[in-house]
Structures are given as C-alpha cells and as structure tokens.
Amino acid sequence: MTPGGRRPGHADTRGEIVDAAKRVFAAKGYDGASLRAVAREAGVDPALVHHYFDGKADLFVAAMALPFDPRSVAAHTAGSSPASMGARIVEGFLTMWDHAEGTGSSFAACVAGMAASTSVADAMREFVAERVWGNTPVEEGESDSPTRHALVSSQLMGLAFTRYIMRVPPVSTATPEEIGRWAGPTLDRYISGPVG
Amino acid sequence: MTPGGRRPGHADTRGEIVDAAKRVFAAKGYDGASLRAVAREAGVDPALVHHYFDGKADLFVAAMALPFDPRSVAAHTAGSSPASMGARIVEGFLTMWDHAEGTGSSFAACVAGMAASTSVADAMREFVAERVWGNTPVEEGESDSPTRHALVSSQLMGLAFTRYIMRVPPVSTATPEEIGRWAGPTLDRYISGPVG
C-alpha cells in the first residue's frame, strides 16, 4: 500500500494518472505542471507515476493521446457525408479538438509542450507518424507519402493554431463543417492531387 | 545616470533592449524570460525597460516584430520570380523565418508565448491584422477577406510549425522554394480562388 492507500498495481491506476495529467496540463500548461502535482491530483504516490511514465514528456504524450485518438477522425472520414475526404478529415480533426477543449484538454497546452521541449515535439511527431497515418487514406508505400503526410499535418495544425490559439475569425468562430468546406480541397490535393 | 551608467533617454536604448529581448527569449523561451533578465542582458536599469514597454507581452511582440517584418515578405512577393503569388509568399515567409532562426530569433519562442498567454496571442493577431495584411495582395474591402486572411495565416503558421517545431521531413528539410511549389497553389486559392 502506498501512503495514499491506493493499490500500486490496480488496473485503473494508469488511467487515473492520465486523467489527472490531462487536468493538470490544462490548468498549468506544460512548464507549470509537474509529476508531483499530477500524483497529488490523482491521489497516488509520486513513485507510482514514475513507475508508469518515463518522465513529464512521456506523461504529456499519454495525456494528449485521447484528443488525438485517430479513431475519432476515422469515424468522421468513414461517414456517409457527401463532402470530400479532405473536408471530412478537417471536420473530424476540429470536432475532436472542439470536444477535447470542452472537456478540459487544451490545444494550447499541447502546442506549448512541443514549443518548449524538442523531446516533446519529437514524441508528438513519432506519435502522429505511428498512430495517425496508419489510419488515413494517404497511400502507403508511395515515394512521396512523407511529403503528403507533412503537408496534411501542416494545414491541420495551422487550422487548429488559428482557431484555438491565435483565434482569428472566422476560423475561430465557424463550425468544423464550414472550415471543412474552405480547407477540404487543400487536403484533397495534398492527399491525391499533384504536389510539387 | 542609471546604476549601470547608461543614458536613460539615448536614442538607441530602446533598440538595444529589443535586441537583448530577442536573445533572452531565444535562450529562455517565453515563460523563462523576465524583464529583469532582459535589462541585465541589455546592460540597463530594469526601470528603463518598464519605461519603454508595458510588460513582458509588449516586449515580446516588439522582439518578434523584426522576424515578422512584412517588408521582408513583400520583397519576395514583388520579385520577378515566375512562381505563383502563393508560392512567393510561402517562400518569403519561410526564408524570413529561416534567417531569423539563424540569427537567434525562434519561431518556437514566438509560438510558446502565444500558447502560454492569450494576451500575447491577441497582440500577435492584432499585429498580423494591422501590419501584415496591409501589404498583401488579398483584396481589401471584399466581404470574404477575413476568411481569406485567416486561411492564408493558417497554412503559413502550419508550415512554420511543421518545419521548426514538429520538424516533420521533408517540410523540415526542403528549401523554401520547394515548399513554395507544394503549398503555393493552396495560398493562390485562399487569396483569389473559390473558397466555401
């Protein structure tokens, strides 16, 4: 038993730590959060956080995983909407982030972590490459796939940056569907059109 | 005379403070920098920094102003290059930031400041609206200009984010000219093509 009285090996402990980390990062940003604060929020011993996570960056990526869960976007892109594939990806990505912002996650905290630490940015890039691109319609094995992946990422991250951080209207005020109509053709070209 | 022996009203003092701020922000990031550290770096009394700047956010925007100087982009977009207007804007924007990164400014510090502080993000949005869009070919007075401005911003910020922070190849390794060819048609459509 830890000083807090929790079970070190309980199946839900890791999930509770991730949930606590999401709240602490949303409240404190990346620089302001600490593993100690996350442990306190989760009601567990700090050693238990160190048992499950390699450090703050590792915990941050885990905490960011849910808003970035590719299945949330996949559910949108697989729908019966008549919109283009690009429009549906934009709509799914922003709907996912709108929901995450509404439940305590923060795109700003995610971005602040990447800007403050190259190891966090590296981890996020690896996370996107490993978990997101495996579920997209961008053809695997094509020699120009990295270019297409990077360009799609650039427009999606730029839209989220403009919507949630710089808050430039009307990108900050429009619905995900509207933004999908504006930027969808961009992603369509990056995915399957002529590039370069 | 201040304790440091400098002239409080000297014509170059403000410029020296801005130069010092650029070095401190590049070294410490936004959260880690302080007006006191900037004053120490500039060799002036902290009261002098407070005399010229309303606070850290104000100083940050001033320090960011040179990398974002719209004349640097205008020099590119006005050139005789056969590339499209969109390609020349992308090339000019990234060339400007490549140069800024090489001389101690940092896109990551700029982004970290915006992500950490809504007042910095507000200031940057106002700065872009007031100083950048006044020099672009996006038609003024059109009812959809805000949409076009916001979409152009989203792709430019997304490309810089992908190049300097997430460092996703080949956007992180290509020349500004190459990226201009890839993303130029996107800006062309946002500037003058069908949107929505």
Side-chain angles (χ1 to χ4, degrees), chain A residues 108-160:
Chain A
C110 174
V111 164
M114 285 190 272
S117 161
T118 55
S119 67
V120 173
D122 289 347
M124 191 65 75
R125 182 181 62 249
E126 290 161 13
F127 171 78
V128 169
E130 289 170 17
R131 293 203 53 196
V132 177
W133 292 126
N135 292 279
T136 63
V138 181
E139 197 68 36
E140 292 298 333
E142 293 185 7
S143 65
D144 60 355
S145 281
T147 307
R148 296 181 182 280
H149 291 169
L151 290 171
V152 169
S153 286
S154 79
Q155 181 60 96
L156 290 176
M157 292 301 287
L159 287 169

Side-chain angles (χ1 to χ4, degrees), chain B residues 9-73:
Chain B
H10 189 278
D12 286 345
T13 302
R14 187 183 181 284
E16 288 169 10
I17 292 169
V18 170
D19 285 345
K22 290 173 66 173
R23 292 193 294 272
V24 172
F25 280 126
K28 303 279 188 182
Y30 184 78
D31 283 347
S34 66
L35 297 191
R36 181 176 303 273
V38 170
R40 190 164 52 236
E41 174 76 16
V44 302
D45 191 272
L48 203 52
V49 179
H50 285 284
H51 170 73
Y52 283 109
F53 298 98
D54 208 21
K56 191 164 77 166
D58 188 35
L59 181 58
F60 182 80
V61 169
M64 291 298 109
L66 282 180
F68 266 109
D69 190 328
R71 288 173 298 184
S72 306
V73 177

Side-chain angles (χ1 to χ4, degrees), chain A residues 156-187:
Chain A
L156 290 176
M157 292 301 287
L159 287 169
F161 193 89
T162 308
R163 182 175 180 83
Y164 303 113
I165 295 179
M166 282 194 82
R167 296 180 297 173
V168 183
V171 167
S172 57
T173 54
T175 64
E177 291 77 7
E178 287 177 295
I179 300 171
R181 283 198 294 277
W182 299 335
T186 296
L187 266 69

Side-chain angles (χ1 to χ4, degrees), chain A residues 31 108 111 115 118 121-122 125 146-147 150 154-155 157-159 161-162 165-167 170-171 182-183 185-186 189-190 195-196, chain B residues 31 108 111 115 118 121-122 125 146-147 150 154-155 157-159 161-162 165-167 170-171 182-183 185-186 189-190 195-196:
Chain A
D31 283 347
V111 164
T118 55
D122 289 347
R125 182 181 62 249
T147 307
S154 79
Q155 181 60 96
M157 292 301 287
L159 287 169
F161 193 89
T162 308
I165 295 179
M166 282 194 82
R167 296 180 297 173
V171 167
W182 299 335
T186 296
R189 185 173 68 85
Y190 291 161
V195 170
Chain B
D31 283 347
V111 163
T118 55
D122 290 347
R125 182 182 62 248
T147 307
S154 79
Q155 182 60 95
M157 293 300 287
L159 286 169
F161 193 90
T162 307
I165 296 180
M166 281 195 82
R167 296 180 297 171
V171 167
W182 298 336
T186 295
R189 185 173 69 85
Y190 290 160
V195 170

